[in-house]
């Protein structure tokens, strides 16, 4: 009896072990079923093109037998990067986009924060209407928004310019000194509502008890906004700043559309436009090098800003 019981117990244990080992397989299949629909397109359409662009940036095109000889592609090391850094058009585009970001990003985020704080107070009526109205520009594609604003900027077509002329003003929104800020205005109009919604969502997660305790201590609406709300939603402000830095360095659609009506926007106005112009001239290796440099700058600035803000917050 004892031997039978022992063998039965071993049998149950072995069967349970087999069941446990077999039970892990459906779990792995389930995990793969959820992961693969994202992972495969991510690898095929993101990682592979990035790796291919990096590889292309190390290649150069050479010719045998002079300028009209047979061309061939060979490994050139950092030749394309050296040419990019020696190109004045590249540095001009970097300078314009840096000036654009230094001015446009703080203005846009300040407007977004002010709108979010206003929507979070009890002073504003029809909050749903204003929230939708502020977010509505984000629903407009960037190209459509640029076309609309180009109509408003055009001296021949714009009712705004015509009205300002009647008032004795002579605005030149597409002039050499204003075209960069006209482009910044389009980007600000497009993205302020999007950033506002992120900040407003963070404000909605703050417990109302904090406001009641602050009011009991004598704090007014202004003190509550800047001493309680803004510090608590600081991670959201950092997030929108990082998004804005990335978006600034990727600027393309707005100046590309405005270029159709303004001779003050060249094909090298922004780094992305420069890369596209170089690629259009069949110099894909040089365009790849410019794209890689831009990606590295974007990564360094975004990571640097996050590290700086984390250090100041003591995280």
């Amino acid at each position: 009896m004892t031997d039978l019981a022992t063998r039965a117990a071993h049998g149950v244990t072995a069967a349970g072990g087999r069941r446990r080992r077999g039970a892990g397989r459906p779990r792995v299949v389930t995990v793969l079923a959820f992961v693969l629909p994202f992972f495969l397109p991510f690898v095929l359409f993101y990682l592979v093109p990035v790796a291919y662009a990096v590889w292309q940036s190390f290649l150069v095109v050479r010719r045998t037998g002079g300028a009209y000889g047979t061309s061939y592609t060979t490994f050139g090391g950092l030749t394309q990067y050296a040419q990019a850094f020696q190109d004045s058009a590249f540095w001009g585009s970097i300078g314009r986009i840096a000036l654009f970001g230094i001015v446009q990003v703080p203005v846009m985020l300040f407007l977004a924060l002010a709108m979010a704080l206003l929507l979070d107070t009890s002073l504003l009526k029809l909050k749903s209407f204003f929230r939708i109205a502020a977010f509505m520009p984000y629903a407009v594609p960037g190209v459509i928004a640029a076309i609309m604003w180009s109509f408003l900027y055009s001296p021949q077509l714009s009712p705004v310019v015509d009205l300002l002329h009647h008032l004795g003003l002579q605005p030149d929104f597409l002039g050499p000194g204003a075209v960069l800020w006209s482009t910044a205005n389009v980007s600000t109009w497009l993205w302020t509502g999007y950033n506002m919604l992120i900040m407003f969502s963070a404000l909605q997660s703050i417990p109302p008890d904090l406001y009641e305790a602050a009011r009991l201590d004598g704090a007014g609406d202004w003190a509550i906004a800047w001493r309680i709300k803004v510090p608590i939603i600081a991670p959201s402000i950092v997030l929108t700043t990082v998004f804005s830095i990335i978006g600034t360095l990727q600027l393309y659609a707005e100046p590309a559309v405005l270029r159709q009506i303004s001779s003050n926007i060249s094909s090298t106005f922004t780094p992305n436009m420069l890369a596209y112009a170089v690629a259009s001239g069949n110099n894909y290796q040089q365009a790849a090098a410019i794209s890689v440099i831009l990606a590295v700058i974007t990564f360094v600035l975004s990571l640097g800003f996050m590290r700086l803000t984390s250090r100041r917050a003591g995280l």
Side-chain angles (χ1 to χ4, degrees):
M1 293 294 293
T2 304
D3 294 338
L4 290 174
T6 302
R7 286 197 296 271
H10 283 299
V12 170
T13 304
R18 286 193 295 271
R19 283 195 297 269
R20 284 193 294 271
R21 287 194 294 271
R25 296 172 186 171
R27 183 176 300 177
V28 172
V29 173
T30 303
V31 171
L32 290 176
F34 280 101
V35 171
L36 287 179
F38 163 78
F39 187 72
L40 287 179
F42 177 76
V43 170
L44 292 176
F45 301 111
Y46 186 81
L47 294 183
V48 171
V50 168
Y52 182 72
V54 173
W55 168 246
Q56 284 287 312
S57 68
F58 291 112
L59 303 179
V60 293
V61 177
R62 304 194 187 279
R63 294 185 180 275
T64 58
Y68 298 99
T70 303
S71 64
Y72 65 96
T73 303
T74 185
F75 184 78
L78 300 177
T79 302
Q80 301 291 359
Y81 293 95
Q83 291 180 1
F85 286 124
Q86 293 171 5
D87 188 0
S88 60
F90 172 77
W91 289 111
S93 66
I94 291 293
R96 275 187 292 271
I97 209 67
L99 181 60
F100 180 97
I102 290 173
V103 176
Q104 189 267 342
V105 171
V107 170
M108 176 181 63
L109 295 181
F110 176 78
L111 292 175
L113 178 61
M115 291 168 61
L117 292 173
L118 184 61
L119 286 171
D120 194 54
T121 64
S122 59
L123 302 176
L124 187 66
K125 306 301 180 182
L126 301 175
K127 291 184 180 181
S128 298
F129 169 77
F130 285 106
R131 186 164 61 246
I132 294 174
F135 185 73
M136 189 65 70
Y138 176 69
V140 179
V143 174
I144 302 300
I147 293 174
M148 181 188 70
W149 279 99
S150 66
F151 171 79
L152 295 176
Y153 290 150
S154 175
Q156 295 80 21
L157 302 173
S158 174
V160 176
V161 174
D162 188 55
L163 176 62
L164 293 175
H165 283 170
H166 286 297
L167 296 176
L169 302 175
Q170 301 295 325
D172 187 6
F173 295 118
L174 300 175
V179 68
L180 181 65
W181 310 120
S182 297
T183 306
N185 177 64
V186 179
S187 297
T188 303
W189 182 81
L190 270 172
W191 293 98
T192 298
Y194 172 81
N195 294 314
M196 178 275 298
L197 193 63
I198 295 177
M199 297 178 190
F200 180 72
S201 299
L203 287 171
Q204 294 296 291
S205 65
I206 300 176
D209 297 343
L210 290 177
Y211 305 149
E212 296 177 3
R215 288 190 176 91
L216 289 175
D217 289 338
D221 291 335
W222 182 261
I224 291 174
W226 292 106
R227 295 184 180 180
I228 296 179
K229 294 182 179 182
V230 172
I232 290 178
I233 67 168
S236 297
I237 299 175
V238 172
L239 178 66
T240 54
T241 303
V242 172
F243 286 167
S244 300
I245 292 173
I246 296 172
T248 296
L249 291 169
Q250 294 179 345
L251 184 67
Y252 178 82
E254 292 85 347
V257 172
L258 293 177
R259 182 170 179 255
Q260 306 304 315
I261 62 171
S262 175
S263 60
N264 294 305
I265 298 180
S266 65
S267 61
T268 62
F269 192 74
T270 68
N272 263 348
M273 293 179 69
L274 173 62
Y276 181 81
V278 172
S280 299
N282 295 327
N283 193 350
Y284 302 110
Q285 294 77 21
Q286 182 70 33
I290 295 172
S291 301
V292 171
I293 294 172
L294 186 60
V296 171
I297 293 174
T298 303
F299 175 78
V300 170
L301 288 179
S302 301
L303 181 62
F305 178 79
M306 294 182 67
R307 292 287 298 272
L308 178 63
T309 54
S310 298
R311 188 177 303 171
R312 289 188 175 182
L315 299 177

